Amino acid sequence: MKCELLLSLSWLLLAAAGSDVDSGGFGNVRIRRASIDVDDKAIGAADQHSIRDLPDCQDLRKYCTHQKTSDNLSMLECALSFSSSQLEALPEPCQHALWLQQRQLHLKSWVEHTLLPSYCAAEQGKLQSCFNSVDLWVCLEDQRQQLPQSNICQQQLRRAYAAIGPDYANIADFYTACGSLVEQQKCGRMNVEHLPSLLSQLGTAQCLMAHANPATPIDMNCKVAVNAIELQRGMLELFRVCADDLTALCPQERPGTPSGYKCLVRHKNDPSLRSQCATQIALRDQQIGRDYRVSHGLAKSCKDDIKLHHCRRGVSEDKQVRLAQILLCLESVSKNGTKLAPECLVELSDHRRMLMTDYQLSPELLSDCADDIPKFCPEQHKAQLVNGFSGSGGEIIHCLFEHVRARRAQHRVTSQCQRGLERLIKVSDAGEDWRVDPVLRRACKPVVDVACKDVEGGEARVISCLMERIGTPVMQPECEQALLIIEYFVARDFKLDPQLYKHCRDDAIKYCRAKRQWDDVQDVQMDPERGPLILPCLHRMAYSDDERQTLHKDCFREVKRVMRQRAISVDLMPEVEDYCLSDLSQYCGEHTEKGSEMECLQNKLEKLQPECKSVVTKYTEEEAANVELNPVIMAVCSEAMQQHCSDILKAGTDNGNMMDCLISHKNDADLRKDLRCRAAIEHFQIISLKNYHFTTKFKEACRPYVSRHCAASATKNEVVACLSEVMRNDTIKAQRHQIPKDCRQQVKSQLYQQRESIALDPKLGNACKTELEQFCADQKGPGQVNKNELECLIQNTPRLGKACHHAIFLIKKSELGDSGTDYTLLNTCKEMVYKFCPNEESVKILDCLKKYKDDSSFDQRCHLVVVNRMIEQNTDFRFNPSLQSACGKNIDGYCSNIVATAQPNEELNGKVVKCLKDKFRQSKLDEKCAKEMIKILQEQALNYKLNPVLQHFCKSEIQELCKKHMDGDEHGQVEECLKAAFLKKQLINRECQLEVATLIAESKADIHVDPILETACTVDLLRYCAKVTSGDGRKLSCLRTLLKETPNSLELDCREKLERRIEMFRNADDTLAQPPEDMQQLVQQVVTSPARKFFLVILMSATGLVFLTGIFLGRATKRAMGLKNK
């Protein structure tokens, strides 16, 4: 076995040293063998003395008697045939003399002055041509083979060539570099152990190292050569110790070959590997980490690329160059577009795998994580100390990776160790090939075989495929965990994502201050503290409004891909994770599902520390603008996006359009069944309530006006309410809108969304929590009339607590002020709006629907909603923008005391409308307000529920006297019933009598407010009173005149109802007549009385009587005074 091992090593070291030592594999020194700088005279002098005659070489006399001659070449030939024990027994001076003789054979001078004159005189002219060749002995050997076997020159050349050995070329460089020092120190030694190639000089090198001192230092070239020998000695020792293991684990491999060594490395964590062999491999790994030249395969395969691209970076040839530096340099060359030799790429891949398998290959990691490994990975560390291996490869590295991601500071590795791990990821380029990391490879192979089997390897394509499978059934937990660990580091350096770097390198340099070189020693940007994060910068550029700052198409695609993949975990968002560690630990420790950590931070936004709150807010804004950053929605709503929002997907840009589309369709039939997608959309809606910036379209349209009008508003709902109030006031005052159309539409859209569910209005939910449980526990169906919670609360307004009542008041004020925000109305009446009001502005939809609500084809569910809205409007004038606009001046003039004494955010229960009705009856309202009041009175006349004052004062009378008309009344039957009861003196309650009398009196002011009488007399009004102007009771006076003068001219129904109304008018006047409280009221009553002429005659008569009485009494008094004076 030993013989086979040595033969194999001879082949390996010949190949390795032939290239490595010559061109830099072990020393990066190349020396021309034809010009060896030695002292020829000294060598010649040595040759003049017979080695056999030296006192220290008497053993040669003893063992070399079989030699035909006793010249020095014969003695050398004899010594080379000695056994190891015989060579070891030779004294050192004799070994030195033999070494000098062997060295002499390499010299041109020996050939020219000794060999040729003595044995090749005839052939000298022909052989002298070899003196100018690159390799002297190659040329001489070629010439020798052309000579006859019997030729003495041929025989001497053969003897000399055999003495220098077949690997003379490697040894010649050692002779050149160290010959003078060997001669000076007398360190020439024979190859006692019969080692192959350069190792034949092991004894000589050891002697030089033993004699090295400041007085006689070893120069650089010699030191390089000595180091090369030591490195090869280590490989020899490794194969000697691991011979049995190689046979058992790698039977197909030959000892001493590069593939044999790589096979042992692959099996170094195999439990069957003996500890002695594992120790040798570990020592070898450490040597490779410190000096890349120890790895013969890498040094040989990449020698030209290392030299061409200056990967040693000026390090002198006698110094070690770490493996990491070489790998980074070669990877940088490859990443920047330069092709490396194929065999060099293979070695790169192998060494990257080795780095991820054994942390001891990285000297920096050994020192940087010296304290962290036993602290956080005690079991794996102990196994390695005891057995020489740990698990199945890479466990210690992955253990450290896990503690880089730990949430609590005490569980995280030191920053020094983290930097070392970051460098390991970069050197190994683990983000490029999933097979580099043994843990990732083992964990994800089953997933790759199923989900990514058709994906071409390289440039992180398989890793990207695996990232896309996270959250799907095919992904396995072990694979996901290992994958996210690698992606944690990739996310912190955009250069580690090959596709992203390839397509975005130029844009990153242009816009984001990225370095031009892949491996830039100054470019440390793994976290925000140490430089700009390139990917967030590219993401901003991807959606920049500046046309001069746009990414290339391929870069834009890659940025979208990476941002989408990163969104699955906060760990992959360094701009968030680095600021939110403590908050993640405190609030989100149990959230491990895809995207759940970010949702947790968003839910706890108000409680986060300022820096964390700021970055989460910023990310949520980006998420709102690009739904692909929301992994939950992307996972559960993909079908909905394809079905309802395909145009946005095709466009490739979002800017908030996708979320708006999903929200607008979430109540469609298919999404009502897709509970997961619907829940994800609603969750985002709830999150967006925390800040108006979380709704992209709203933010873009309204940001300047929020700052101007609503600076004190905190949440989005508060901002929306504030802007809505500004819009409402502008509408009521009929002034130019301060809020532009785009913003107004967004405000209405947000109000509409809020009305869908209590969950979207947290302020209302908190204010009405008790009432919801008490009155609306079973109201679940959104969008159904009287079935959702908001409608339930509105229906129970009189029973609500103060806080809830105030909140509902504001909602009713908003909904009734703008129908476009009334979710229930718009959804219930969707078909009726399309049929009757297709071109109507959304703000006026309720007014339009009022006109058609009694149409025979009008939907009953919509009819009920419209009537309910009309009832709500009549409880407070502030719920009726048309009334406010038309009657604002009259309200200020006649009803200001009612408004001034009103409680904030509480209904006035029709008090202002009643005030306006009184003034209407007295004809004091201006024309615009009077017309609006006619509409209200008409509606109230047809439906008593629209008159809250009447309902309040006549509640018992309605239930007792008009019960049969209550349920289906919308044709004025209840009011007509009350009027009849009033006429029959059946109304006992004084307030009810006055309210009904008021209704009767109002119809005197305008027949239009009495729809029953107007309907009965429609023909007569058209026939006889068409030219009479409406208002001030003129139409009614026309009919009364006709009734008095030509009663038979009127239709029978009109005549009967008119006669009945006139009787009601008299009774109402009597009921409404009240004693004046002051002179002004007295004068007012006289002036407005129908008998005012009679009162005038009485007043003048009384005045005349007083005058006459005064005259009579004046004369009597004068006569009495005259008699007294007499």
Side-chain angles (χ1 to χ4, degrees):
M1 182 66 185
K2 183 175 180 180
C3 179
E4 181 185 2
L5 177 63
L6 292 176
L7 289 174
S8 300
L9 277 172
S10 299
W11 174 84
L12 168 68
L13 298 174
L14 177 63
S19 56
D20 297 344
V21 176
D22 295 345
S23 60
F26 289 110
N28 281 345
V29 178
R30 183 174 183 86
I31 305 168
R32 286 181 60 87
R33 302 183 187 95
S35 57
I36 303 175
D37 185 16
V38 294
D39 190 348
D40 288 348
K41 292 182 178 180
I43 298 291
D47 191 44
Q48 293 173 6
H49 298 88
S50 174
I51 297 175
R52 187 169 179 271
D53 296 333
L54 293 176
D56 293 314
C57 293
Q58 293 306 307
D59 287 344
L60 296 180
R61 290 177 176 271
K62 179 178 173 181
Y63 298 120
C64 299
T65 56
H66 60 282
Q67 294 293 120
K68 295 180 181 181
T69 61
S70 61
D71 60 13
N72 288 348
L73 178 59
S74 298
M75 292 302 100
L76 178 61
E77 285 180 311
C78 178
L80 290 175
S81 66
F82 282 7
S83 66
S84 295
S85 58
Q86 289 175 322
L87 285 173
E88 190 172 10
L90 287 176
E92 291 180 354
C94 184
Q95 290 191 42
H96 179 67
L98 290 168
W99 184 89
L100 289 176
Q101 177 60 39
Q102 190 174 25
R103 178 190 176 211
Q104 184 182 13
L105 300 181
H106 290 75
L107 304 179
K108 170 186 172 184
S109 59
W110 182 83
V111 175
E112 184 178 6
H113 300 298
T114 302
L115 178 65
L116 297 186
S118 302
Y119 303 104
C120 300
E123 295 83 3
Q124 186 170 356
K126 189 176 182 180
L127 296 177
Q128 281 181 342
S129 62
C130 291
F131 293 156
N132 296 322
S133 64
V134 174
D135 194 314
L136 172 64
W137 275 101
V138 169
C139 178
L140 291 174
E141 180 65 9
D142 289 341
Q143 294 294 335
R144 181 189 71 80
Q145 293 178 359
Q146 299 177 16
L147 297 175
Q149 292 287 335
S150 60
N151 187 286
I152 188 170
C153 179
Q154 192 268 358
Q155 295 174 0
Q156 290 298 322
L157 285 172
R158 179 181 55 78
R159 290 178 62 202
Y161 188 76
I164 65 176
D167 52 357
Y168 71 91
N170 298 327
I171 301 173
D173 287 340
F174 177 77
Y175 289 157
T176 303
C178 299
S180 298
L181 186 61
V182 171
E183 186 178 352
Q184 179 183 344
Q185 301 290 343
K186 298 187 183 303
C187 281
R189 299 292 183 267
M190 295 303 290
N191 186 7
V192 175
E193 296 184 11
H194 298 288
L195 298 175
S197 187
L198 189 59
L199 285 174
S200 64
Q201 303 302 311
L202 179 62
T204 304
Q206 289 176 333
C207 176
L208 289 176
M209 296 298 292
H211 287 82
N213 58 69
T216 56
I218 302 177
D219 67 19
M220 184 185 73
N221 291 335
C222 182
K223 189 172 183 179
V224 169
V226 170
N227 288 341
I229 293 173
E230 287 296 324
L231 294 176
Q232 292 192 15
R233 180 193 180 194
M235 181 64 77
L236 175 66
E237 178 66 14
L238 184 146
F239 275 106
R240 184 187 66 78
V241 173
C242 296
D244 294 337
D245 300 280
L246 182 67
T247 302
L249 297 173
C250 309
Q252 75 281 5
E253 300 294 346
R254 294 176 57 195
T257 61
S259 59
Y261 172 69
K262 290 180 180 178
C263 180
L264 286 173
V265 171
R266 287 196 299 271
H267 288 87
K268 70 177 179 179
N269 296 306
D270 194 306
S272 64
L273 189 75
R274 293 178 303 140
S275 60
Q276 300 94 322
C277 182
T279 301
Q280 284 294 322
I281 295 174
L283 290 173
R284 191 71 176 174
D285 286 347
Q286 293 178 24
Q287 292 173 353
I288 292 175
R290 289 191 293 269
D291 190 347
Y292 79 97
R293 294 173 297 184
V294 177
S295 176
H296 303 303
L298 178 68
K300 175 185 176 182
S301 300
C302 299
K303 61 183 179 182
D304 295 333
D305 291 306
I306 291 172
K307 183 176 181 180
L308 177 64
H309 302 292
H310 309 289
C311 290
R312 293 182 62 90
R313 290 180 180 164
V315 179
S316 61
E317 300 296 337
D318 62 328
K319 302 294 183 181
Q320 295 178 340
V321 178
R322 293 191 172 187
L323 176 65
Q325 176 179 324
I326 298 300
L327 293 182
L328 278 175
C329 173
L330 294 175
E331 286 168 4
S332 179
V333 170
S334 178
K335 299 288 185 183
N336 290 324
T338 302
K339 289 187 177 181
L340 300 176
E343 59 272 19
C344 183
L345 289 174
V346 172
E347 288 295 329
L348 270 179
S349 178
D350 289 342
H351 283 77
R352 285 161 50 196
R353 289 190 181 95
M354 291 166 59
L355 285 172
M356 290 298 293
T357 301
D358 190 351
Y359 72 97
Q360 295 184 92
L361 269 171
S362 306
E364 301 91 344
L365 204 59
L366 277 170
S367 59
D368 293 341
C369 300
D371 297 329
D372 299 276
I373 292 173
K375 178 180 179 181
F376 297 117
C377 312
E379 295 182 4
Q380 297 92 330
H381 183 56
K382 182 179 179 180
Q384 181 148 23
L385 292 177
V386 174
N387 304 317
F389 60 86
S390 60
S392 53
E395 276 77 8
I396 288 182
I397 292 175
H398 266 261
C399 172
L400 292 173
F401 283 161
E402 285 286 356
H403 288 280
V404 169
R405 302 168 64 223
R407 292 285 178 250
R408 298 186 182 278
Q410 60 268 32
H411 296 158
R412 291 174 72 94
V413 298
T414 60
S415 59
Q416 183 181 9
C417 181
Q418 181 173 344
R419 303 296 174 256
L421 292 169
E422 290 168 355
R423 184 171 179 81
L424 171 64
I425 291 291
K426 188 168 186 178
V427 172
S428 65
D429 201 11
E432 193 270 343
D433 189 345
W434 69 286
R435 296 166 296 186
V436 166
D437 180 5
V439 175
L440 179 64
R441 184 176 67 249
R442 287 192 303 273
C444 292
K445 190 175 187 307
V447 181
V448 173
D449 290 343
V450 174
C452 307
K453 60 183 178 181
D454 297 326
V455 177
E456 183 182 356
E459 294 189 329
R461 283 183 283 265
V462 174
I463 288 183
S464 181
C465 171
L466 290 172
M467 288 294 293
E468 296 291 349
R469 299 303 185 274
I470 290 181
T472 64
V474 73
M475 177 56 65
Q476 298 180 4
E478 299 81 6
C479 177
E480 180 175 336
Q481 182 181 9
L483 182 62
L484 290 180
I485 285 175
I486 299 301
E487 286 299 307
Y488 176 88
F489 294 95
V490 174
R492 282 154 175 76
D493 188 346
F494 96 110
K495 295 179 179 180
L496 299 184
D497 188 312
Q499 291 291 334
L500 182 67
Y501 181 73
K502 176 181 178 181
H503 295 294
C504 293
R505 176 173 173 265
D506 294 338
D507 287 324
I509 293 171
K510 182 177 180 180
Y511 300 124
C512 306
R513 296 184 295 161
K515 305 297 183 181
R516 289 193 171 275
Q517 297 300 316
W518 185 85
D519 173 33
D520 192 319
V521 293
Q522 303 299 323
D523 184 19
V524 283
Q525 51 127 46
M526 281 291 213
D527 56 46
E529 294 102 35
R530 291 179 291 146
L533 284 164
I534 304 300
L535 184 56
C537 169
L538 290 173
H539 186 249
R540 288 193 299 272
M541 292 299 104
Y543 297 100
S544 172
D545 295 329
D546 190 346
E547 294 182 356
R548 295 171 298 177
Q549 295 183 335
T550 56
L551 302 182
H552 292 92
K553 183 179 180 180
D554 291 339
C555 179
F556 179 78
R557 183 190 67 247
E558 287 302 315
V559 168
K560 289 184 65 177
R561 171 188 66 81
V562 173
M563 292 301 293
R564 181 180 68 252
Q565 293 176 352
R566 285 188 1 156
I568 64 174
S569 173
V570 171
D571 285 345
L572 306 185
M573 309 173 199
E575 65 273 22
V576 175
E577 193 242 17
D578 291 330
Y579 292 109
C580 295
L581 277 175
S582 60
D583 291 310
L584 284 166
S585 174
Q586 182 176 356
Y587 301 119
C588 309
E590 298 179 357
H591 294 77
T592 57
E593 295 181 1
K594 183 178 180 180
S596 60
E597 286 178 316
M598 179 53 71
E599 283 191 353
C600 171
L601 290 174
Q602 291 169 338
N603 289 334
K604 303 288 184 181
L605 188 64
E606 299 83 358
K607 299 180 180 179
L608 302 181
Q609 296 179 6
E611 286 185 340
C612 180
K613 183 177 181 179
S614 175
V615 295
V616 172
T617 298
K618 183 177 180 181
Y619 184 84
T620 309
E621 285 188 53
E622 294 178 353
E623 189 180 61
N626 303 281
V627 76
E628 62 189 12
L629 300 185
N630 190 318
V632 178
I633 289 180
M634 290 298 294
V636 300
C637 294
S638 57
E639 291 185 7
M641 287 189 280
Q642 289 288 348
Q643 182 172 349
H644 299 292
C645 315
S646 57
D647 55 333
I648 300 174
L649 289 175
K650 292 176 182 177
T653 56
D654 188 343
N655 198 32
N657 292 322
M658 182 61 75
M659 188 57 69
D660 287 346
C661 175
L662 290 173
I663 290 172
S664 66
H665 289 284
K666 75 169 186 173
N667 290 311
D668 289 2
D670 58 329
L671 281 176
R672 283 185 177 279
K673 296 177 182 178
D674 190 349
L675 299 181
R676 295 177 64 203
C677 178
R678 184 182 172 86
I681 297 171
E682 289 183 346
H683 178 268
F684 187 83
Q685 285 184 279
I686 293 171
I687 293 299
S688 70
L689 300 176
K690 297 175 182 290
N691 192 321
Y692 80 92
H693 290 86
F694 296 167
T695 307
T696 305
K697 295 294 186 183
F698 181 81
K699 175 187 70 174
E700 292 177 350
C702 299
R703 179 158 35 192
Y705 311 99
V706 174
S707 302
R708 186 181 308 168
H709 301 289
C710 310
S713 301
T715 66
K716 184 175 78 172
N717 278 2
E718 292 177 359
V719 169
V720 170
C722 171
L723 292 177
S724 176
E725 188 66 20
V726 174
M727 292 160 50
R728 175 185 174 84
N729 292 337
D730 290 343
T731 301
I732 292 172
K733 295 176 183 177
Q735 64 185 22
R736 182 176 176 271
H737 278 288
Q738 302 175 66
I739 310 296
K741 183 178 181 181
D742 289 346
C743 181
R744 293 201 306 272
Q745 290 177 340
Q746 287 299 320
V747 170
K748 290 167 68 173
S749 174
Q750 294 306 311
L751 286 170
Y752 173 80
Q753 293 177 28
Q754 287 177 20
R755 303 302 177 252
E756 177 189 356
S757 171
I758 293 287
L760 299 180
D761 193 342
K763 188 174 181 180
L764 176 64
N766 293 331
C768 299
K769 185 176 181 180
T770 303
E771 288 80 356
L772 286 169
E773 294 175 356
Q774 184 176 356
F775 305 124
C776 310
D778 60 340
Q779 310 298 318
K780 299 294 183 183
Q784 300 177 16
V785 179
N786 297 330
K787 289 295 183 183
N788 66 32
E789 293 175 320
L790 180 57
E791 287 297 307
C792 171
L793 290 174
I794 292 174
Q795 295 298 319
N796 288 278
T797 297
R799 305 163 66 187
L800 302 179
K802 189 173 182 179
C804 182
H805 191 167
H806 289 180
I808 289 295
F809 177 88
L810 295 175
I811 288 177
K812 291 199 292 186
K813 184 177 177 182
S814 171
E815 281 188 346
L816 297 170
D818 187 345
S819 302
T821 68
D822 192 333
Y823 179 85
T824 302
L825 177 71
L826 293 182
N827 278 273
T828 307
C829 299
K830 188 181 298 184
E831 294 182 3
M832 297 300 100
V833 172
Y834 179 77
K835 182 176 183 179
F836 296 108
C837 313
N839 300 318
E840 195 70 55
E841 294 182 27
S842 61
V843 69
K844 298 179 180 179
I845 285 177
L846 178 59
D847 291 336
C848 175
L849 292 175
K850 287 178 186 179
K851 301 175 185 177
Y852 299 100
K853 67 181 177 64
D854 295 321
D855 190 281
S856 60
S857 63
F858 203 86
D859 180 72
Q860 289 302 307
R861 295 173 70 247
C862 178
H863 182 277
L864 180 57
V865 174
V866 172
V867 171
N868 285 338
R869 293 298 182 264
M870 293 171 66
I871 293 172
E872 292 161 11
Q873 273 192 328
N874 281 280
T875 60
D876 196 299
F877 79 101
R878 289 168 290 185
F879 296 161
N880 192 333
S882 298
L883 179 63
Q884 279 187 282
S885 177
C887 299
K889 293 180 180 179
N890 296 116
I891 292 172
D892 293 339
Y894 302 122
C895 314
S896 57
N897 59 324
I898 299 174
V899 178
T901 57
Q903 293 295 321
N905 297 335
E906 288 189 11
E907 292 86 348
L908 293 171
N909 294 318
K911 293 178 181 178
V912 171
V913 175
K914 186 177 185 303
C915 169
L916 292 173
K917 285 161 66 176
D918 292 340
K919 301 306 174 184
F920 173 77
R921 193 174 66 249
Q922 299 169 17
S923 302
K924 291 188 175 181
L925 301 180
D926 57 40
E927 183 180 357
K928 187 178 179 181
C929 182
K931 288 181 179 179
E932 190 64 32
M933 285 304 301
I934 288 173
K935 293 180 184 178
I936 293 174
L937 293 172
Q938 281 180 323
E939 292 167 354
Q940 289 184 350
L942 291 172
N943 191 340
Y944 76 99
K945 295 177 183 177
L946 303 182
N947 190 335
V949 179
L950 180 66
Q951 284 192 88
H952 177 69
F953 289 131
C954 299
K955 184 177 181 180
S956 59
E957 285 78 0
I958 292 173
Q959 292 178 345
E960 293 176 6
L961 302 175
C962 309
K963 188 174 183 179
K964 64 179 180 179
H965 303 296
M966 286 176 58
D967 295 334
D969 179 73
E970 279 194 29
H971 301 285
Q973 298 304 317
V974 170
E975 185 172 314
E976 195 67 17
C977 171
L978 289 174
K979 290 178 179 179
F982 173 78
L983 192 59
K984 297 175 182 178
K985 310 294 184 182
Q986 293 177 332
L987 302 180
I988 301 173
N989 185 358
R990 175 65 179 171
E991 286 79 5
C992 183
Q993 291 176 7
L994 291 173
E995 188 58 32
V996 175
T998 301
L999 293 177
I1000 295 169
E1002 287 165 359
S1003 62
K1004 288 172 62 178
D1006 198 308
I1007 194 172
H1008 295 303
V1009 304
D1010 190 345
I1012 292 180
L1013 178 61
E1014 184 182 24
T1015 302
C1017 298
T1018 300
V1019 176
D1020 297 304
L1021 286 169
L1022 291 173
R1023 184 182 299 164
Y1024 304 114
C1025 307
K1027 296 182 180 180
V1028 177
T1029 306
S1030 299
D1032 291 333
R1034 286 187 285 267
K1035 295 275 188 182
L1036 185 59
S1037 297
C1038 173
L1039 292 175
R1040 293 178 71 172
T1041 301
L1042 289 169
L1043 179 63
K1044 182 178 181 181
E1045 295 178 356
T1046 56
N1048 292 329
S1049 62
L1050 297 175
E1051 296 289 331
L1052 178 61
D1053 188 31
C1054 177
R1055 185 169 66 248
E1056 290 177 351
K1057 284 187 169 55
L1058 184 57
E1059 290 173 346
R1060 189 180 179 87
R1061 287 294 187 272
I1062 292 172
E1063 184 179 0
M1064 288 181 183
F1065 293 157
R1066 287 196 295 266
N1067 291 337
D1069 291 340
D1070 293 341
T1071 302
L1072 293 174
Q1074 297 179 0
E1077 297 179 359
D1078 52 30
M1079 184 58 68
Q1080 183 179 357
Q1081 289 189 7
L1082 175 61
V1083 173
Q1084 183 66 27
Q1085 285 188 6
V1086 170
V1087 171
T1088 58
S1089 172
R1092 55 183 176 272
K1093 294 181 179 180
F1094 172 76
F1095 286 121
L1096 182 59
V1097 172
I1098 296 297
L1099 179 60
M1100 293 179 64
S1101 300
T1103 303
L1105 182 60
V1106 171
F1107 180 73
L1108 293 174
T1109 303
I1111 293 174
F1112 173 76
L1113 293 176
R1115 289 181 176 178
T1117 303
K1118 183 177 180 182
R1119 185 180 300 161
M1121 290 295 293
L1123 291 174
K1124 185 178 180 181
N1125 291 332
K1126 292 179 177 181

